[in-house]
Amino acid sequence: MIPGDRLVVLCRPGFEGDCAAELAQRAAEVGAWGHARTRDGQGLLEFFPGGHHPLSLLAGRFGETPVFPRQWCAAGPLFEDLPEGDRLGPLLADVDVPVADLVVETPEGDAYRPLARLARRLVGPARGVLQARGDWCPDDPDAVRLHLVLAAGDAAWVGRSPLERSSPEPGGIVRLKQHPEAPSRSALKLEEALQVFLTPADRHLLFDGRRTAVDLGAAPGGWTWVLRRRGVQVLAVDNGALAPVLAKDPEVEHVRADAFTFEPTTPVDWLVCDVVDKPARVVELMARWLRRGRARRALFNLKLPMRRRWQAVEDARARFERVLGEAAPGFSLHIRQLYHDREEVTCYAAPRS
Ligand code: SAM
């Protein structure tokens, strides 16, 4: 397989510049450098690193917990003029590494919908080719995830990534269906966050039917509803009204108060917050709760209406650690732009195990 000279990266359309800024900083932090090639609004960029092979970058510290990249792989140049009758032939010809997983994917967006259908149709045949050649090795610990990233019906990148550093979902998109009873679309944000940030074992342990939560900025109640479905008792803080399904739930207490001054009488397991305010104010609030032991873990959203969003994320992280002070090493903070996030990112702060 050709070694690859670039990372092919998928992100939310409109966030290519933020994604490029993040990649450049990640590279600098590990002594590498690089430049990005992107077209705004495409949700796609190529990042050409200097000084390091892109696959070893992904495997190292560079590849830990990305914020704006939803999916990435180390790839070579774009294959063009693929024959309609045998697109897979040229794409898979040089793949000579053990493959444990395969994703065929496209950038996000309406313009890519027909291509996404083609991508779905190619998965089975591509896996068949790899199996027939003996390259399909799901149990091989050294096997990689193989990516076919379609740029057009006749053009694609072939990439690979370490399994634990990329998503098994095409485009890194966790697709969830809105439940008809969910009070708001925001429910999907929290549901996705729980899927992305927690392992199945974590979810089992952390939602064992005995947990408590405070939901700041709860109305109309999508997040409270998600927590209730996982058996959590919720204090829902908002001056706005909760959906009727929650208003009559005895395990939900609606508190009409200001999120920035509210204090529970006893500590809770979960603090969640979807208040629309400055990232600095929200991270400070979250860090204060954790520092004082008022909550064990916090899951919250930072709204990013500003232009330099990567910088805003970095500032928020630094402020969070500053306010946590001596308690900071005891917590990890994961920040990620989820599929159901718009001009925002979702953060999960938890005690280090
Ligand atoms: N997570 C909610 C859901 O799933 O339905 C949606 C939350 S909505 C984006 C933001 C909420 O924050 C609004 O209901 C608003 O009333 C509330 N809010 C804004 N500032 C607040 C404050 N200082 N204190 C309490 N609630 C606040």
Side-chain angles (χ1 to χ4, degrees), residues 183-187 189 215-224 237-240 257-260 274-277 281 303:
S184 68
R185 197 192 154 278
S186 295
K189 279 193 294 190
D215 181 357
L216 299 176
W223 286 27
T224 292
V237 180
D238 203 305
N239 281 312
D258 180 0
F260 291 91
D274 193 20
V275 165
V276 181
D277 211 305
R281 273 196 98 197
K303 314 297 171 188

Side-chain angles (χ1 to χ4, degrees), residues 156-171:
W157 288 274
V158 180
R160 53 189 162 141
S161 65
L163 285 178
E164 70 287 1
R165 290 294 162 85
S166 58
S167 171
E169 308 290 343

Side-chain angles (χ1 to χ4, degrees), residues 107-125:
E108 184 200 335
D110 289 345
Y112 286 101
R113 233 163 258 243
L115 209 53
R117 277 196 290 276
L118 172 64
R120 285 193 289 277
R121 285 206 309 272
L122 291 177
V123 176

Side-chain angles (χ1 to χ4, degrees), residues 11 29 125 143 225-226 240 248 270 283 324 327 337:
C11 67
E29 282 171 1
W225 181 84
V226 169
K248 59 182 189 229
W270 285 93
V283 285
L324 265 179
Q337 188 171 43

